[in-house]
Amino acid sequence: MGGGWHRDRRRGGLRGRRADGYERTKFRHWIDEDKDGCNNRNEVLLAEAVTEPTVGAGCKNTGGTWRSYYDETTVTGPSGLDIDHMVPLAEAWDSGASQWTAARRQAYANDLGAERSLVAVTAKTNRSKADQDPAEWIPPAAAARCTYLADWVGTKLRWSLTVDRHERDTLRQLAASCESTDVEYEPV
């Protein structure tokens, strides 16, 4: 198929072609922005802990509990969690980040300025999401779906990322059942 589309054999559907040049390493992430010894992955873990973990040398977290809102699972200990980029790095690349400077991509990958740009979720749900947009993946917990859509749209707006037609149509369709959900964001 021409026109920038290819058949995605994993899902049997069509997906926009990845913009040339995407490499995860172009988004330097998990830096220690405030130089307190905790990288941004650990900062998210600390901020989202339901029960605070013990923080040891090198910001090593032990113990603690978290609630993964994607699948409504309580996780004890940080090893069962991934930090999800609400809009995955590959999706961001396809949506405009390919034109950004390295510094802007680093800022995006480490965005602690918006509560939902980075979220602690079970490794299982984060890996099932991979680099998919809401047209291809929605959290398994029904109660999470409106929050997820608002977080997705808020992140796209915050960073001035584009939305393709299929993604837009799916967002509109799914948002119809989210009338009481607001999209909040502050542009960077």
Side-chain angles (χ1 to χ4, degrees), residues 31-45:
I31 63 171
D32 180 6
E33 255 176 321
D34 59 8
K35 309 290 186 228
D36 67 352
C38 290
N39 67 27
N40 284 359
R41 179 187 193 287
N42 285 320
E43 297 283 4
V44 173
L45 289 171

Side-chain angles (χ1 to χ4, degrees), residues 47-63:
E48 294 192 11
V50 174
T51 305
E52 197 170 317
T54 301
V55 181
C59 201
K60 180 169 173 53
N61 296 314
T62 55

Side-chain angles (χ1 to χ4, degrees), residues 130-150:
D131 66 354
Q132 300 175 87
D133 69 29
E136 302 161 323
W137 187 90
I138 294 292
R145 293 179 182 159
C146 291
T147 300
Y148 180 77
L149 294 174

Side-chain angles (χ1 to χ4, degrees), residues 24 29-30 39-49 61 66-68 70 77-89 108-112 114-127 129-130:
R24 187 171 175 85
H29 54 288
W30 311 148
N39 67 27
N40 284 359
R41 179 187 193 287
N42 285 320
E43 297 283 4
V44 173
L45 289 171
L46 292 170
E48 294 192 11
N61 296 314
W66 290 263
R67 184 81 174 155
S68 169
Y70 287 1
S79 64
L81 296 165
D82 280 354
I83 305 304
D84 182 37
H85 290 90
M86 178 55 57
V87 174
L89 302 179
Y108 176 81
N110 292 280
D111 186 8
L112 297 178
E115 186 176 311
R116 298 313 232 170
S117 289
L118 301 169
V119 292
V121 296
T122 58
K124 178 181 176 182
T125 57
N126 186 46
R127 292 167 193 173
K129 175 185 172 186

